[in-house]
Each structure stands twice: as structure tokens, then as C-alpha cells.
Amino acid sequence: MTFEDEVFACIGQYDSSARIVNLSTFSQLPGEKIWISGKNLVFHLICVPFPESNVVSPDYFQEKSLEYSARGFQLIHLWQDQWIVNREIVHSRIAALLGAGMRIHARQTKVQRIDKDTMRPFFVVNHMQGPVNARYTYGLFAGEQLVAAASFSAGRTVTRNGVAGRSYELLRYASLLHHRVVGGLGKLTARFIAELHPDDMMTYADLDWASGKGYQALHFEQVAITPPQMFWIHPREMIRYYPHRLPEKLTEAFHQQNGQKILDDFLLQQGYAKIYNAGNIKFLLTL
């Protein structure tokens, strides 16, 4: 099965009304589109390498996300590499967007601080971007089972509108695969606020996937949209690399060769593709 066929089969498990749409239905958007009409969801399936990458601007996917949002649709940019590398997480997120998955109410859980040895494997399995270094992590437990977790940064002094305050960042939130913890993020942030007493808290929502409605429901305010992030990816590996985090063997090969003088040209010659995501929505909760 092709990438598109696999995703369509996955979505079809949860919504039999899902259909593939063409360019006459939506504005110019290369690649396959799957429209779930009852939920105004559009999954934009993007193969790697992306054939149109040399003709669209770096802001293309962000612009489309914002355009569709203004028209009342949630546009999901589903890249082939994410489907291959994080298939189970993507499957779980699709299910959650379509209202499927085991439902747990946060009131049925208890909050506990968890250490990095518990946090890291949980985010490896359940978060698209994996774990991140964090100062504080809280988990929700249903009995002995960890069903959701949120990680927060250390505090730092930030001046906003001429007033200095203690600010923290919500770095990660994830629930157990194929589970929806209703009210989970709210319960975890409430415990963090009660214990750390921040003046404000900021976080980011990935525009490739998120609309940010969950944060807005918790009284976070949208304050900015960050520029798209650029990655290098090889179709044979399907691993994303930030420009400043390229594999050492690759940068060594560039310095040792006598042909290309520009790193970007060298990477393109080696078969790597340059891709840009849709950026992030930045949210701020003032307390």
C-alpha cells in the first residue's frame, strides 16, 4: 500500500464518511487531501521528498494552515516521514481528532510528580517530538497506570509591559496512546500553578497539527505565530535534522570533499531534501 492508502485506511476506521478531495474543492494544495466533512478536518498528506518543494515558499504550509483556519477548517499537514517514524503516535492522534480512543476523565485520576526516568520513556512512546529536558514533570495516574504527563521548564524572570515576573514554559503534554484524558492538561497545569505560583506560563502549539483550542479553553492567549522551522531529511532514512544538528559524519564529509563550497548544495547533492513545517502558535497564560 502507498503512504496515502495507508493513511486513508487508518482514517476510514474511525469515520466512514471521509473522502479524498481534489483541487476544485479546496484552494491550491499539492498532494492528497482527505476531508472529514462532519468535523471540518482536512488531512494534507505530503510525500517525502515533496515534489513542489522547489516552487513553494518557506511560509507555504503556515500560510495554508492560517488560510484554512480562517475558513473554519482545521488543516493537518501529515508528512510521510512522521507516518513512517511515529506511526503509532500519528494513528493515536488521528483517532483522538475523530473522537475515538479510550476516554478517561481527569477527575478519576491522581496527580503525582514524576522523575526523568519515568518521564522520558513515556514521552518517547507517546509524544511526536519525544522527551525534552525539563525541571518539573507531573503525571496523571489511573490506579498505577500513568495515563498523561506534562513537563515544565525552570522559572526565569521576564519583564512584560514593564513589570518583572516569574515565567515558566509548558514544554510537553501527552496522553497514553489511544487514550483521551478529558481535562487532563487542565488538572496538571492547575497542580503546577498551585505549587510553583508562576506569574505567567507560555507554550507552543505545532501548527502542522494543532489549532490551539485546548490551550484557549484553559485561558491561554495567542500572542504570536513563530516562523516555520527548516529541516533536512533523506528519503532513505526519514529522519529530520535541524540545520545546526546535522550528523557529524555528514558535516565531516562536506569539509573533506573538494566539490561543493556551500553546505546546502552539498546536502542536496547527497539526496537530502529541505522541508519547512508550518511553525508554531505561541500562547501565554497570565496569572
Side-chain angles (χ1 to χ4, degrees):
M1 293 176 71
T2 66
F3 159 53
E4 292 90 344
D5 290 338
E6 289 177 349
V7 176
F8 189 74
C10 172
I11 291 172
Q13 296 178 51
Y14 306 111
D15 194 318
S16 59
S17 70
R19 59 190 178 91
I20 295 177
V21 298
N22 55 37
L23 296 179
S24 64
T25 308
F26 293 95
S27 63
Q28 295 293 317
L29 197 64
E32 295 284 356
K33 283 82 52 196
I34 299 172
W35 181 28
I36 291 81
S37 58
K39 294 181 179 293
N40 278 6
L41 274 172
V42 180
F43 289 88
H44 177 208
L45 311 187
I46 313 165
C47 290
V48 176
F50 176 48
E52 292 84 358
S53 60
N54 61 337
V55 295
V56 301
S57 74
D59 297 324
Y60 179 81
F61 294 105
Q62 182 173 104
E63 290 170 352
K64 288 301 176 185
S65 291
L66 299 177
E67 173 193 325
Y68 275 57
S69 178
R71 296 166 60 192
F73 294 92
Q74 182 176 353
L75 179 63
I76 309 296
H77 299 296
L78 178 46
W79 292 82
Q80 184 181 15
D81 65 295
Q82 292 184 327
W83 176 253
I84 291 172
V85 175
N86 294 306
R87 183 171 310 208
E88 200 60 32
I89 298 175
V90 173
H91 191 154
S92 179
R93 293 192 72 169
I94 289 172
L97 285 166
L98 297 176
M102 184 174 293
R103 190 181 179 95
I104 300 172
H105 288 277
R107 64 174 178 270
Q108 299 171 323
T109 66
K110 60 181 180 180
V111 183
Q112 289 181 206
R113 285 278 298 273
I114 58 177
D115 59 24
K116 66 179 181 180
D117 291 335
T118 303
M119 173 272 286
R120 294 190 69 83
F122 184 82
F123 284 130
V124 165
V125 172
N126 298 291
H127 197 285
M128 192 92 74
Q129 297 173 339
V132 67
N133 290 332
R135 179 64 61 87
Y136 310 96
T137 304
Y138 293 78
L140 287 180
F141 290 81
E144 300 301 315
Q145 176 71 62
L146 178 60
V147 295
S151 286
F152 303 85
S153 71
R156 61 193 184 99
T157 301
V158 174
T159 300
R160 303 190 196 278
N161 299 319
V163 179
R166 200 68 174 159
S167 180
Y168 295 78
E169 181 178 351
L170 168 60
L171 299 166
R172 292 282 189 273
Y173 172 75
S175 57
L176 193 64
L177 288 182
H178 302 292
H179 288 70
R180 291 187 297 145
V181 184
V182 181
L185 180 58
K187 187 167 183 174
L188 289 168
T189 55
R191 173 61 68 86
F192 176 80
I193 291 168
E195 293 188 357
L196 275 297
H197 308 291
D199 293 302
D200 67 51
M201 185 189 308
M202 51 86 66
T203 194
Y204 295 92
D206 179 1
L207 255 178
D208 271 353
W209 277 91
S211 65
K213 291 180 180 178
Y215 294 124
Q216 292 171 331
L218 296 175
H219 307 294
F220 281 82
E221 177 186 359
Q222 179 178 322
V223 294
I225 294 177
T226 67
Q229 292 177 302
M230 190 270 273
F231 303 91
W232 287 102
I233 184 169
H234 198 291
R236 192 167 56 245
E237 299 173 346
M238 291 296 186
I239 299 173
R240 293 188 178 195
Y241 297 109
Y242 288 100
H244 61 286
R245 294 182 183 174
L246 290 168
E248 187 175 340
K249 64 179 182 180
L250 198 58
T251 55
E252 286 180 353
F254 168 69
H255 291 301
Q256 290 171 4
Q257 55 89 41
N258 296 315
Q260 293 292 347
K261 303 300 182 183
I262 300 173
L263 178 58
D264 282 19
D265 293 340
F266 173 76
L267 292 170
L268 291 170
Q269 190 178 65
Q270 299 302 307
Y272 283 82
K274 182 187 290 187
I275 65 173
Y276 293 85
N277 69 5
N280 298 288
I281 309 173
K282 182 178 179 179
F283 289 97
L284 181 68
L285 175 63
T286 304
L287 299 160

